[in-house]
């Protein structure tokens, strides 16, 4: 199953963005491993497989961590002035930048456990998410914190770590989680207008 994931086009693009970042900041992935663990302690408690750790780390590394430039990896990839990324790749990079992170309710799981119909609890929008190697254990009516991204064919997929919760005070929990995402999304919106300055030596 892992080999199948590595063959997806989006996975190839992720590798290309990582290569660019590691060229700009040699050894940065190794340096940030401990930072990721420290900043994401709740996720560390549920990660069981190495592949899930890598997926969670890469999502954080590419979408959330601010580099010395003041931008995230995907923001740098989106603004990179040279012809390193083609038109199709640039479109997918923009899709990554438009990722949706929220608290979702699982409404339906297909019989083969590959397709998940989920409802965003912040705006009640419903999404169909297609998966390849999602760990079993999620059930209909579960609440999950997750990132979803639209692929080049306009299908959604989960990206990074997916956390489910046992909730005692449902209303209070949902409000607190959604408020956190609201603040984070406001910061992301403000960052969209910031320009990244590049100095390319030829």
């Amino acid at each position: 199953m892992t080999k199948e994931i590595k063959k997806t086009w989006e996975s190839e693009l992720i590798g290309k963005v990582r290569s660019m970042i590691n060229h700009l900041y040699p050894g940065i992935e190794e340096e940030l491993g401990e930072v990721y663990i420290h900043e994401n302690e709740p996720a560390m408690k549920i990660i069981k497989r190495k592949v899930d750790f890598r997926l969670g780390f890469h999502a954080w590394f590419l979408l959330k961590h601010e580099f010395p430039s003041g931008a995230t990896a995907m923001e740098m990839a989106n603004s990179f002035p040279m012809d390193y990324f083609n038109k199709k790749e640039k479109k997918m990079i923009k899709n990554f930048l438009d990722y949706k992170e929220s608290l979702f309710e699982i409404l339906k799981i297909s019989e083969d456990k590959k397709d998940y119909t989920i409802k965003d609890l912040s705006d009640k929008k419903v999404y169909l998410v297609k998966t390849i190697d999602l760990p079993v254990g999620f059930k209909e009516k579960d609440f999950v914190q997750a990132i979803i991204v639209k692929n080049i064919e306009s299908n959604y997929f989960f990206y990074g770590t997916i956390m489910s919760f046992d909730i005692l005070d449902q209303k209070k929990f949902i409000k607190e989680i959604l408020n956190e995402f609201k603040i984070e999304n406001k910061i992301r919106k403000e960052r969209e207008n910031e320009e990244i300055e590049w100095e390319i030596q030829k």
Side-chain angles (χ1 to χ4, degrees), residues 31-173:
E31 290 177 23
L32 290 176
E34 288 298 321
V35 177
Y36 169 70
I37 291 170
H38 178 71
E39 288 188 8
N40 295 272
E41 290 180 2
M44 294 305 105
K45 294 175 182 176
I46 63 167
I47 290 175
K48 303 267 192 277
R49 310 180 304 172
K50 286 184 179 179
V51 65
D52 296 323
F53 176 84
R54 284 199 305 273
L55 286 170
F57 172 71
H58 289 152
W60 173 85
F61 178 78
L62 296 174
L63 301 179
K64 296 191 171 189
H65 178 72
E66 286 186 32
F67 288 83
S69 67
T72 65
M74 280 296 175
E75 287 169 343
M76 285 190 279
N78 187 52
S79 70
F80 195 59
M82 300 178 73
D83 294 331
Y84 183 62
F85 300 105
N86 62 38
K87 200 170 184 179
K88 182 181 176 184
E89 289 169 336
K90 282 275 193 176
K91 182 179 179 181
M92 189 60 221
I93 287 168
K94 186 68 171 65
N95 285 358
F96 271 109
L97 287 174
D98 291 336
Y99 74 88
K100 176 84 169 180
E101 183 173 21
S102 191
L103 187 66
F104 301 93
E105 181 183 359
I106 298 175
L107 300 179
K108 185 179 178 182
I109 302 174
S110 63
E111 288 187 14
D112 63 3
K113 310 294 183 186
K114 299 292 186 185
D115 296 343
Y116 285 68
T117 303
I118 60 174
K119 180 172 70 175
D120 183 352
L121 296 181
S122 69
D123 56 18
K124 310 306 180 188
K125 287 185 179 177
V126 175
Y127 300 87
L128 176 63
V129 180
K130 295 182 176 292
T131 72
I132 295 175
D133 188 30
L134 192 67
V136 294
F138 297 113
K139 308 181 300 297
E140 292 177 359
K141 303 302 180 186
D142 275 356
F143 292 102
V144 294
Q145 178 182 329
I147 291 173
I148 59 173
V149 177
K150 187 187 291 185
N151 70 12
I152 211 72
E153 287 85 26
S154 296
N155 296 314
Y156 284 91
F157 61 93
F158 289 118
Y159 188 48
T161 305
I162 306 166
M163 293 192 290
S164 62
F165 303 91
D166 293 320
I167 305 169
L168 295 176
D169 188 340
Q170 190 179 107
K171 190 174 180 180
K172 181 181 177 184
F173 173 81

Side-chain angles (χ1 to χ4, degrees), residues 1-9 11 51 55 132-133:
M1 281 299 223
T2 305
K3 287 182 181 176
E4 189 178 357
I5 290 174
K6 287 183 178 178
K7 290 179 183 177
T8 64
W9 181 81
S11 184
V51 65
L55 286 170
I132 295 175
D133 188 30

